[in-house]
Amino acid sequence: MTAVISVSGLRKAFGRTTALDGLDLTVRAGEVHGFLGPNGAGKTTTLRILLGLLHADSGEVTVLDGDPWKDLATLHRRMAYVPGDITLWPNLTGGEVIDLIGRLRGGLDLRRRAELLDRFELDPTKKGRAYSSGNRQKVALVAALASHADLLVLDEPTAGLDPLMQAVFEDCVREEKGEGRTVLLSSHVLAEVEKVCDRVSIIRQGRTVEAGTLDELRHLTRTSITADLTRSPDGLASLPGVHEFRAEGTRLHCHVDTDHLDEVLRALTSLGVRNLVCRPPTLEELFLRHYEVTA
Amino acid sequence: MNGTGELIRLALRRDRVLLPAWLSVFVLLAVGSAAATEGMFPTADSVVAAATTMNGTPALVAVYGRIYDPTSIGALAMLKALATGAMFLAVFSIVVVVRHTRSDEETGRRELLGAGAVGRHAPLAAAMAVAAGANVLLGLVTAAGLVGAGLPVAGSLVFGLAWASVGLAFTAIAGITAQVATTSRGAVGLAVATLGVVFLFRAIGDTADVAGPRWLSWLSPLGWGQQFRPYAGNRWWVLLITAGFAVIAAGVAHLVVARRDLGAGVLPDRPGPATGTLNGVFGLAWRLHRGALLAWTAGFVAYGVLVGSVAGTIGDALSSPQTAELFRRLGGENALTDAVFAAMFGFLGVIAAAYGLQTAMRLHGEEVELRAESLLATPVGRVRWASSHVVVALAGVVVLLVSAGLAAGTVHAARTGDLSAVGEVLAGALVQIPAAWVLVGIVVAAYGLAPRLVVAGWSALAVFLVLGELGPLFGFDQWLMDLSPWAHLPKVPGSAITTTPLLWLLAVVVAGLAAGFAGLRRRDIA
C-alpha cells in the first residue's frame, strides 16, 4: 500500500515554545488512521502543517505525493478538513456555509448532503450564531463528508457530539473507508479510535511515541489479569513482569508484561484457578501508561 | 451587579494603552486649538468680525455650530474643537462600551466569566462605568489644560463638561445598542447611525431661521453639547438634561438586559435559506460587507446633501483679513464656497478612510476568529481570499466618496442652476480616494507582515488626523506634516488638480498591498 501522508522528523516552534519535535507519521491509502495524543501534544499543529496553513521549520512532509506548502491548491482539491475549533459567520445559515465550502472545493454530492443532514439531524436553516458547538461541528462534518475528497483530515471531530451522533459519525467514517477514501482522525477519545481506526499513531510532546495497528500496539503492552484462586497468591507479586499487583484474600488483579505471560500463568495454575479473566488492555490503559512513563 | 468592580478592573487592564492614548489626543486637540487661535485675533474687533462671519455662514454653522457670544475669543477659538471633539468622543464611548459588552458576549468570553460570581447586570454596568469615568476624567483634564492655555476658568470647566456630556450620552446609547444588536459590528453600526442622525438634527436646527425647526437641536446630544455655550454664557443647567438623559438611557439598557437571554438580542433569529448561492470568496465578502456598506453610503449621501445645501450660502464678503486667514486654514485657497467644499470633503475623506481601514481589518478578524481556516483548507489561495476583502474595502471607499460628491454636487447645482458644478464638486470628493486608500494599504501591509500590528492602522489614522488638525495650528515642520497622505491632496474644488501627488499616493497603496500579500503567502495562518 502506498502512503498518502508521510511525515518524518517534523519540527515546528512558535517563538520559544516547541510544538513539534521530530514527529513521524505514515498514513496508508485507504486506511482510517487514528492520531492520538493528550491536549497540547501537537496534533492540531501537525494537521495544520499537512493542510499548508503552517510552514514546518524542518522535516519531510508529503501529502498525496505533493508538498502541502507549495502545492496548496492542487492538494486542497483532494482534501477535506474539519477543524477542531469551528466558528461560523453569525449571519450565514449552516446550509449556506456547507454549500460555500463545497463549491470552493469544487463540488458537493447533493444526495449525500441531504442524507447526512438527515442522519446528523442538523437544521440547515439556522444562522451561524444560533448553533451549539456540537451543531457547528456537524456543519463542518457534513461539508467534509459530502465532498469528493480523497483524504479527510478530521481534528477531534466528535468532541461536541452526543453518543448517538458519535455512532452516526463512526458509521460515516466506515462508509468513507468502504469507498476507498483515506481518513486521518485526531482524537483523545480512545473508544472512538478503537472502534473505527485501522492503525494508530500516538504522540506526546511533539514526538511520535508509538505507531502501528491496534494489535501491534497491544502486543507491546501488558495483559490485564483478574483471577480467583483456591489458595492465597503468595509470591506472585515478586515474579518478573508483574505490575500493579493487588490481592484481596484469594482474589487478585495484576498487569503482566506479554513476554512473561507464560511463567505467570504457570504460577497461577499451580495455585489452583477457580476463575480467570484475561483481557487486552484498553487503549485508555495503554494511553495512560505512555503519558505517565515520560511524565 | 455582583462582580462589577472586578470587571471594571479587567476592562481597565485590557484598555491600559487605548484609554490614555485616546485621552491625550483629545486634550492635545483642545489645548492646541486654544493656544493657536488666540494669537490670530489680536483685537476685540477682529474677534467680532470673525465670529459674525462664521455665524453668517450656514455651511460652517451646520458643521461646527454657532458662536453664541461674538465678543468671546474663547467661543471663537474652541468652536471647531467643541464640535469635532464631541463627535470623536461619541465614537470613543461607543467603542469602549461595545468592546466590553456585546463583543465579549459574541465571542463567548462573557460566558467564561458568567460561570463565576458575575451578576447579569455587571458587564454592562462595568463597561458604562469605565466609559463614563473616562469621559469625566477627560472633561476635567481638558478644563485644566484650557485654563493653562489662558482661557477663563468657568468657560473651560463648562467646555470640559460639554465634551464629557456628549460622551456620557453616547455611553448610554451604546449601552442600549449593545443589547439590541446581536453582533458587536451591529451594535457599533446602530450607535454610529444614531450619531449621524443627531448630527443632522443639530445641523438642521442650528442653521434654521427663527420660524424653522430650531428645536431639532434640542433633540440631539451633540446639540446639548453646543448649548452648554462655553465662554459664551456658560449654561451649567444643560447638565440637567444631559445627565437626565444618560441616567434614563442607561436604565433602559439595564431593563433590556434583565429581559433577554445571554447571547440573544431583542429581535429573535429567523430561519434562513437551507441552501446557499454564495459562489466563492468574493460572493462571501460581498455578503459579509454589503449591509455595512449600504448604511455607510446612506450616511455619506445625507452628509453630501447637507454640504450641498449649505455650501453656496456663504456670506459674500470677507470682512477682515483674519477671517480670510481662518478660512484659508480651514481648507481652500480661492473662492469661499470651494474652500468649504474642499474642507468638508477633507473631513469625509478621513471618514471614508476609517471605513476602508475597518473593512480591511476584517481580514485579521476572520483569521483570528478561525473562520478563515475552513476557507483556506479549500483550493482557494490565500491571496485570492485576502483580495476578496481588500477589493470591498477599496471599492467601498470609492462608492462612499462618489455618493457624497454626487449628492453634494447635484443639490448645489440645483440651488445655483449651474450644472457644471456637479463635476467640480464630484472632483473634490474623488481626489480624497487615494489618501483614504493609503490607510487600506497600511492595514494590508501590517496584516501580511506582522498581523499583531494590524491595529496600527487606527493609530496611523489618528496620527494623520493630529498632523492635519494640529500641524498648521502649531506650525509643525513641513516634512512632518507631509507624512499624512492628506497633506498631498490638491484643494479641490478651488485649485487645479495636480496628478503627480495622487500617483505617488497610489504607488504607496500598491506597495502596501504587494508587501501585505507577499507576507501573507509566507507566514503561518493563526
Side-chain angles (χ1 to χ4, degrees):
Chain A
M1 274 207 278
T2 51
V4 167
I5 297 174
S6 90
V7 172
S8 66
L10 187 61
R11 277 168 213 283
K12 175 73 186 175
F14 298 103
R16 260 175 276 171
T17 331
T18 306
L20 298 179
D21 189 15
L23 182 123
D24 303 314
L25 173 68
T26 308
V27 178
R28 297 172 191 161
E31 74 175 7
V32 179
H33 193 103
F35 192 44
L36 285 172
N39 295 328
K43 299 190 294 289
T44 301
T45 304
T46 309
L47 298 190
R48 289 166 62 90
I49 289 175
L50 294 177
L51 279 153
L53 294 170
L54 301 180
H55 194 223
D57 294 341
S58 65
E60 299 280 318
V61 185
T62 313
V63 177
L64 296 166
D65 301 321
D67 176 335
W69 184 256
K70 288 185 195 137
D71 311 324
L72 202 117
T74 346
L75 290 184
H76 283 181
R77 252 180 271 285
R78 302 175 57 195
M79 298 168 77
Y81 174 50
V82 173
D85 236 333
I86 299 156
T87 328
L88 301 176
W89 293 272
N91 50 353
L92 259 57
T93 64
E96 287 179 294
V97 173
I98 292 171
D99 289 351
L100 170 69
I101 294 178
R103 285 207 185 90
L104 290 175
R105 202 172 277 132
L108 211 58
D109 181 340
L110 289 181
R111 199 189 44 76
R112 179 95 168 129
R113 176 191 189 271
E115 179 206 324
L116 286 166
L117 284 177
D118 193 46
R119 283 166 72 185
F120 278 113
E121 297 172 20
L122 179 70
D123 177 0
T125 66
K126 275 211 213 167
K127 298 275 171 69
R129 58 173 164 262
Y131 284 119
S132 68
S133 69
N135 280 330
R136 288 201 298 269
Q137 213 146 23
K138 289 181 193 172
V139 169
L141 275 171
V142 171
L145 293 172
S147 71
H148 306 293
D150 300 330
L151 169 63
L152 297 176
V153 178
L154 314 176
D155 191 3
E156 304 196 1
T158 60
L161 302 185
D162 63 41
L164 267 174
M165 287 303 144
Q166 288 187 12
V168 172
F169 167 76
E170 285 153 16
D171 287 344
C172 290
V173 169
R174 283 188 205 105
E175 290 162 18
E176 295 298 320
K177 181 179 150 66
E179 303 211 353
R181 303 208 170 99
T182 310
V183 180
L184 176 60
L185 173 79
S186 97
S187 181
H188 52 232
V189 183
L190 307 167
E192 167 183 296
V193 169
E194 233 171 349
K195 278 183 215 155
V196 298
C197 291
D198 305 309
R199 295 199 320 130
V200 176
S201 294
I202 300 179
I203 71 161
R204 186 168 186 283
Q205 292 182 347
R207 278 171 199 272
T208 313
V209 287
E210 211 82 73
T213 64
L214 287 175
D215 286 343
E216 281 166 1
L217 291 192
R218 286 205 189 89
H219 198 69
L220 300 169
T221 61
R222 300 161 185 172
T223 302
S224 162
I225 292 180
T226 308
D228 201 358
L229 306 175
T230 49
R231 277 173 277 161
S232 115
D234 299 321
L236 264 182
S238 54
L239 282 179
V242 172
H243 306 272
E244 291 172 56
F245 183 87
R246 277 197 327 268
E248 292 162 33
T250 56
R251 233 184 125 73
L252 81 96
H253 178 84
C254 64
H255 287 178
V256 181
D257 285 342
T258 312
D259 38 357
H260 293 287
L261 202 53
D262 190 44
E263 301 141 46
V264 175
L265 281 177
R266 278 173 209 280
L268 280 176
T269 46
S270 71
L271 290 167
V273 178
R274 244 186 277 172
N275 188 358
L276 176 70
V277 179
C278 275
R279 58 174 179 82
T282 62
L283 216 39
E284 255 86 6
E285 285 165 326
L286 190 155
F287 214 34
L288 279 174
R289 207 180 117 227
H290 273 298
Y291 302 158
E292 280 162 9
V293 165
T294 22
Chain B
M1 288 293 185
N2 202 359
T4 307
E6 289 298 324
L7 291 185
I8 290 177
R9 263 196 292 280
L10 175 66
L12 291 177
R13 166 89 177 87
R14 284 176 62 197
D15 289 350
R16 63 194 183 281
V17 178
L18 184 81
L19 287 178
W22 271 81
L23 295 190
S24 347
V25 169
F26 281 110
V27 175
L28 218 65
L29 173 70
V31 175
S33 307
T37 321
E38 272 188 289
M40 278 170 56
F41 300 96
T43 65
D45 282 351
S46 65
V47 172
V48 174
T52 315
T53 316
M54 300 274 270
N55 278 342
T57 310
L60 293 174
V61 173
V63 178
Y64 300 125
R66 283 185 178 282
I67 293 170
Y68 289 95
D69 178 358
T71 62
S72 160
I73 185 156
L76 177 65
M78 301 309 293
L79 177 72
K80 197 177 168 190
L82 181 62
T84 46
M87 295 277 285
F88 286 114
L89 257 181
V91 173
F92 164 75
S93 304
I94 292 166
V95 169
V96 169
V97 170
V98 172
R99 180 175 152 79
H100 293 294
T101 51
R102 184 51 76 174
S103 305
D104 275 358
E105 206 169 308
E106 193 185 9
T107 52
R109 284 192 289 260
R110 162 78 182 84
E111 251 172 302
L112 188 67
L113 295 171
V118 171
R120 177 184 286 276
H121 291 278
L124 178 61
M128 294 208 290
V130 168
N135 278 305
V136 171
L137 182 69
L138 170 69
L140 290 173
V141 177
T142 303
L146 291 176
V147 173
L151 289 174
V153 176
S156 301
L157 278 173
V158 171
F159 183 91
L161 201 59
W163 261 11
S165 287
V166 176
L168 285 177
F170 276 91
T171 298
I173 288 171
I176 296 177
T177 64
Q179 305 313 312
V180 173
T182 46
T183 62
S184 52
R185 262 176 259 281
V188 170
L190 261 182
V192 170
T194 311
L195 176 63
V197 170
V198 300
F199 173 81
L200 286 181
F201 278 8
R202 191 202 53 70
I204 296 169
D206 281 0
T207 46
D209 53 25
V210 187
R214 288 201 163 169
W215 49 270
L216 268 177
S217 296
W218 287 95
L219 292 184
S220 164
L222 292 173
W224 302 333
Q226 301 282 341
Q227 292 305 329
F228 272 98
R229 302 190 178 179
Y231 309 107
N234 296 334
R235 291 160 130 185
W236 298 86
W237 55 264
V238 180
L239 180 64
L240 293 177
I241 300 177
T242 57
F245 172 81
V247 167
I248 290 169
V252 169
H254 275 287
L255 275 182
V256 182
V257 170
R259 268 150 226 271
R260 69 176 183 87
D261 294 335
L262 185 65
V266 170
L267 304 169
D269 267 332
R270 280 178 311 179
T275 57
T277 49
L278 295 174
N279 248 327
V281 284
F282 284 90
L284 175 65
W286 170 239
R287 174 72 181 276
L288 295 177
H289 293 294
R290 69 180 178 195
L293 182 59
L294 202 68
W296 279 78
T297 308
F300 269 62
V301 168
Y303 186 83
V305 169
L306 178 77
V307 170
S309 51
V310 294
T313 56
I314 289 165
D316 42 10
L318 294 181
S319 41
S320 77
Q322 285 90 345
T323 327
E325 170 70 6
L326 188 71
F327 281 116
R328 203 189 59 71
R329 290 191 181 211
L330 280 172
E333 282 161 356
N334 288 328
L336 213 47
T337 310
D338 285 349
V340 168
F341 273 122
M344 288 182 165
F345 285 136
F347 176 67
L348 270 192
V350 172
I351 306 291
Y355 169 82
L357 189 69
Q358 185 203 321
T359 305
M361 276 176 69
R362 181 73 180 256
L363 279 175
H364 186 242
E366 290 284 292
E367 183 185 334
V368 297
E369 288 160 24
L370 303 176
R371 285 190 279 262
E373 194 177 5
S374 308
L375 300 175
L376 294 177
T378 70
V380 172
R382 293 178 181 188
V383 169
R384 187 176 166 79
W385 166 75
S387 312
S388 69
H389 289 274
V390 172
V391 163
V392 176
L394 295 177
V397 165
V398 176
V399 168
L400 294 181
L401 287 168
V402 167
S403 325
L406 277 180
T410 313
V411 172
H412 181 62
R415 286 171 54 95
T416 57
D418 173 15
L419 273 180
S420 69
V422 179
E424 287 165 28
V425 173
L426 183 59
L430 292 181
V431 292
Q432 299 292 328
I433 292 172
W437 278 0
V438 167
L439 273 301
V440 176
I442 290 174
V443 168
V444 173
Y447 172 68
L449 298 171
R452 245 182 256 177
L453 296 182
V454 81
V455 284
W458 286 114
S459 318
L461 184 61
V463 168
F464 296 156
L465 257 181
V466 168
L467 289 177
E469 292 282 318
L470 299 184
L473 295 178
F474 282 125
F476 285 172
D477 283 347
Q478 193 58 40
W479 67 265
L480 191 59
M481 299 211 286
D482 280 350
L483 287 179
S484 165
W486 278 277
H488 306 280
L489 297 185
K491 301 273 191 262
V492 179
S495 45
I497 299 182
T498 40
T499 47
T500 321
L502 298 182
L503 291 177
W504 273 110
L505 289 178
L506 286 180
V508 170
V509 176
V510 171
L513 297 184
F517 287 158
L520 180 62
R521 292 173 66 123
R522 276 171 189 78
R523 72 173 171 83
D524 290 342
I525 297 294

